[in-house]
Amino acid sequence: MPHEPAVHHPTPITWPPAPNHHTAAPLPVLPTGSGIAWVTLPDGTRTLAYTHPTHPDVPAAPAPTATVPAWAKTTALLAPTIGGGIGAAGIGISYAAPGVLAMAEALWALVALIAAGTALPLLLRTGRSTRGRGAAPVQHITQHVTASGLFGRAAGTINNR
């Protein structure tokens, strides 16, 4: 079995001295700020002990507070706003979807109407020309345009045959 080291417990200096201790003498008054003071132990005994000096005029350092970076605060404030905006846009699109589909069908109907409106005069013109008047002669027109340089003035001639 290993030998345990002896633990040294210093004997405290007690005041007032015990009556059976004949060598105890009163101690002089201790200078202030020396780090030694009379203290009372948990068992009620008063003794001299080294103490930590206290400075009442020096304020205690404030407890460190966790600081949050400015970009984190900005992001935290913008996140619900952006999320709410996206949610509102989704709701708006869901309400607008039937109208958008109806508008797409109306646009297709307009395209069909324009196509029919363009084809109708062509059909009427071809129908009239074949009704007994005979076909009109075919004309050929040729045009020659010339220009000199990039920004030169163009000149041309038209020939009817």
Side-chain angles (χ1 to χ4, degrees), residues 90-103:
I91 292 171
I93 289 172
S94 70
Y95 281 125
V100 171
L101 293 175
M103 195 181 309

Side-chain angles (χ1 to χ4, degrees), residues 60 98 106 131 141:
R131 282 193 215 156
I141 300 174

Side-chain angles (χ1 to χ4, degrees), residues 2 20-21 35 46 55 63 70 73 83 119 123 128 131 134 147 160:
N20 61 356
H21 197 270
R46 285 185 42 88
H55 301 286
K73 289 180 185 177
L123 290 175
R128 263 192 249 148
R131 282 193 215 156
N160 289 329

Side-chain angles (χ1 to χ4, degrees), residues 6 9 95 98 118 126 151:
H9 297 287
Y95 281 125
T118 309
T126 57
F151 296 106

Side-chain angles (χ1 to χ4, degrees):
M1 180 166 177
H3 183 295
E4 293 183 26
V7 179
H8 176 68
H9 297 287
T11 306
I13 302 171
T14 59
W15 188 259
N20 61 356
H21 197 270
H22 299 289
T23 60
L27 295 174
V29 176
L30 298 171
T32 57
S34 65
I36 300 173
W38 288 103
V39 294
T40 305
L41 296 176
D43 64 355
T45 308
R46 285 185 42 88
T47 183
L48 284 173
Y50 287 102
T51 59
H52 295 287
T54 58
H55 301 286
D57 55 340
V58 178
T65 58
T67 58
V68 178
W71 65 266
K73 289 180 185 177
T74 304
T75 304
L77 291 173
L78 284 178
T81 306
I82 293 171
I86 292 171
I91 292 171
I93 289 172
S94 70
Y95 281 125
V100 171
L101 293 175
M103 195 181 309
E105 291 181 16
L107 287 173
W108 279 116
L110 180 65
V111 167
L113 182 65
I114 291 172
T118 309
L120 187 63
L122 291 176
L123 290 175
L124 291 176
R125 192 176 307 158
T126 57
R128 263 192 249 148
S129 65
T130 58
R131 282 193 215 156
R133 281 202 232 160
V138 178
Q139 292 185 348
H140 294 282
I141 300 174
T142 57
Q143 183 176 8
H144 297 283
V145 179
T146 58
S148 60
L150 182 63
F151 296 106
R153 200 166 209 193
T157 59
I158 299 176
N159 300 322
N160 289 329
R161 289 188 189 174

